[in-house]
Amino acid sequence: MKVLCFLCLLLQTKLCFSSTTQMLVLPLKTQLIPSGPLSRPPNRLPFHHNVTLTVSLSVGTPPQNVTMVLDTGSELSWLRCNSTRFYQPAFDPTKSSSYSPITCSSPTCTTRTQDFSIPASCDTNNLCHAVLSYADASSSEGNLASDLFSIGGGSEISTTVFGCMDSGYSSNSDEDSKTTGLMGMNRGSLSFVSQMGFPKFSYCISGSDFSGLLLFGDANFTWVGPLNYTPLIQISTPLPYFDRVAYTVQLERIKVSDKELPLPKSIFEPDHTGAGQTMVDSGTQFTFLLGPVYSALKKEFLNQTSRILRVLEEPNFVFQGAMDLCYRVPTSRPTLPQLPTVSLVFRGAEMMVSGKRLLYRVPGEIRGSDSVYCFTFGNSDLMAMEAYVIGHHHQQNVWMEFDLEKSRIGFAQVQCDLAGHRIGV
């Protein structure tokens, strides 16, 4: 596969204060890395991630610096331990006096999480052994453990359970050189945000330079404006295709400009198996819709752009395996033409996608004097997915608040680069 160059967002820690409340703010910075598959737990999203949100923090005693992918679609955090490859960063548990492996008799070892392909078990040393399976058919395994995790220059320190994994990684070596593991941020009991005890967290990603910020705690910024909240969907009965600890919201309608797609409301609701839930996932780059909804959106977007965009007439070209609506745009053109907006209407809130967030320039793909741009909505059916997924590309310039206490997500349109300047990061 051709190696392309994409942007990776790098978070570096900094502690900030407002005049009324203390909060922990982490500014986003950019770094170029080659693309490659990012390993994901089972029952998640089986496609490559070319842009990842990462957070830098320290673990252990004395502290070791690590960089972890911020993923609201996963529960268990893990670190690569004792890497056998010189270019891979790793956490060394033998150098931490506060590191503590978890025995298989511990209640933590029997905690249910969808991140495990099989239940955790005992190894020969009576330690809790876990196996994580990935979309590329590889797997990684290691032991559950706990250690001190420190963020914000040591302002927040907590003993946290994580996976100390040491085998089976197959992701791109250059991407490996940037990250040490994954930070699970969903609503499960073993997620990082649950273990740290934060009642809410927010992030804001800039659409101009991909910078932004991550905030733990209550923002209370009057300049953000009122947030529109949508409740998190709760289902108490276990269903085979429903992730009960994901950030699940109810998508109700989709509009292209002011035209609502002619779809029944029931098509957006999970069925009796749980298939069809709508998840907000920071670990996913783009947004994916079930086949019938994607087809209706594609048809209407094509109709409204027929006079301003030239379709790429290559039926076999499908970007990232699920994005089959692509265009040819002259490389000499400084900006994209005026595009119709796409509005995702949730219960109580609306997210409007406009401008360059609608089309993604595929690096390295040139047709004569034209660049290739693809529609940033994909068909989840092409990936054998059973869910709607709202990726972070469509969360640019949106203040995203995850309120765990009140079980809701808040949206507000914000210029995220200006937000960073206002907070002083």
Side-chain angles (χ1 to χ4, degrees):
M1 179 179 295
K2 182 183 291 186
V3 178
L4 306 177
C5 202
F6 293 83
L7 283 169
C8 175
L9 301 178
L10 178 64
L11 288 162
Q12 295 183 337
T13 60
K14 179 176 180 180
L15 184 63
C16 298
F17 299 90
S18 73
S19 58
T20 57
T21 183
Q22 180 175 326
M23 66 200 73
L24 189 62
V25 181
L26 298 85
L28 288 160
K29 293 186 178 180
T30 63
Q31 190 164 10
L32 287 170
I33 60 170
S35 69
L38 176 63
S39 300
R40 292 295 299 269
N43 303 320
R44 293 298 190 272
L45 310 177
F47 48 84
H48 296 172
H49 302 266
N50 301 307
V51 180
T52 57
L53 301 170
T54 65
V55 60
S56 297
L57 64 160
S58 58
V59 180
T61 307
Q64 300 176 41
N65 294 328
V66 299
T67 302
M68 306 174 73
V69 174
L70 182 73
D71 189 1
T72 61
S74 295
E75 179 175 355
L76 182 71
S77 300
W78 56 261
L79 292 172
R80 182 184 297 107
C81 296
N82 299 324
S83 174
T84 58
R85 301 178 183 180
F86 72 91
Y87 54 77
Q88 291 179 328
F91 170 73
D92 189 347
T94 64
K95 295 181 179 179
S96 173
S97 61
S98 51
Y99 176 85
S100 178
I102 292 174
T103 63
C104 57
S105 60
S106 168
T108 302
C109 193
T110 58
T111 300
R112 296 189 61 173
T113 169
Q114 294 188 38
D115 288 357
F116 296 154
S117 56
I118 58 176
S121 60
C122 283
D123 68 6
T124 55
N125 296 317
N126 200 37
L127 300 180
C128 188
H129 187 75
V131 178
L132 301 178
S133 295
Y134 303 104
D136 57 5
S138 67
S139 64
S140 82
E141 56 185 297
N143 291 330
L144 294 191
S146 65
D147 209 332
L148 295 176
F149 278 63
S150 173
I151 58 179
S155 62
E156 294 285 348
I157 302 175
S158 177
T159 300
T160 304
V161 174
F162 66 102
C164 195
M165 318 305 280
D166 55 17
S167 68
Y169 294 93
S170 64
S171 55
N172 181 274
S173 61
D174 289 311
E175 185 165 333
D176 278 343
S177 68
K178 306 297 181 183
T179 61
T180 320
L182 179 143
M183 179 184 289
M185 291 286 283
N186 71 12
R187 296 187 292 161
S189 61
L190 290 182
S191 79
F192 184 81
V193 67
S194 295
Q195 292 192 67
M196 292 291 286
F198 293 114
K200 66 174 63 174
F201 66 94
S202 309
Y203 56 73
C204 195
I205 308 167
S206 172
S208 57
D209 58 3
F210 292 92
S211 64
L213 57 91
L214 169 71
L215 182 148
F216 290 102
D218 203 340
N220 287 333
F221 298 136
T222 57
W223 48 265
V224 170
L227 297 180
N228 294 314
Y229 288 98
T230 185
L232 293 172
I233 302 301
Q234 311 278 357
I235 293 182
S236 57
T237 304
L239 297 174
Y241 294 107
F242 192 92
D243 186 343
R244 290 191 293 166
V245 292
Y247 293 104
T248 301
V249 295
Q250 185 58 63
L251 180 62
E252 295 186 331
R253 295 177 290 130
I254 297 179
K255 298 184 295 183
V256 181
S257 293
D258 292 327
K259 185 174 181 180
E260 183 175 329
L261 298 183
L263 296 167
K265 191 174 181 179
S266 59
I267 203 169
F268 297 108
E269 298 174 350
D271 64 18
H272 66 284
T273 69
Q277 73 184 114
T278 300
M279 299 181 287
V280 180
D281 185 4
S282 70
T284 299
Q285 184 177 0
F286 300 112
T287 293
F288 295 83
L289 308 172
L290 293 185
V293 176
Y294 172 77
S295 296
L297 174 60
K298 175 183 176 181
K299 179 180 178 181
E300 185 57 36
F301 193 80
L302 273 168
N303 180 56
Q304 294 194 27
T305 58
S306 61
R307 296 185 179 182
I308 59 175
L309 289 174
R310 179 186 175 189
V311 175
L312 177 69
E313 301 289 350
E314 296 180 21
N316 294 327
F317 184 84
V318 181
F319 179 53
Q320 290 199 359
M323 304 161 78
D324 61 1
L325 176 54
C326 298
Y327 298 91
R328 294 180 61 158
V329 178
T331 55
S332 59
R333 186 177 189 123
T335 60
L336 291 170
Q338 184 73 29
L339 300 173
T341 60
V342 175
S343 296
L344 305 174
V345 183
F346 304 99
R347 184 176 299 166
E350 182 172 331
M351 180 182 291
M352 186 175 70
V353 182
S354 61
K356 59 185 179 181
R357 288 187 294 161
L358 288 164
L359 295 181
Y360 182 81
R361 182 176 180 176
V362 183
E365 294 292 338
I366 301 293
R367 304 294 186 272
S369 59
D370 298 332
S371 298
V372 175
Y373 284 75
C374 291
F375 192 40
T376 53
F377 290 84
N379 185 348
S380 61
D381 286 6
L382 294 179
M383 305 304 297
M385 291 162 51
E386 297 289 342
Y388 300 94
V389 183
I390 313 301
H392 68 70
H393 183 78
H394 290 160
Q395 299 170 37
Q396 292 175 8
N397 284 327
V398 179
W399 188 275
M400 301 289 301
E401 180 185 273
F402 295 76
D403 188 339
L404 283 73
E405 268 189 337
K406 297 183 178 179
S407 191
R408 62 184 185 174
I409 295 180
F411 307 118
Q413 294 291 139
V414 173
Q415 286 296 116
C416 293
D417 52 349
L418 298 179
H421 290 307
R422 284 177 175 267
I423 299 175
V425 297

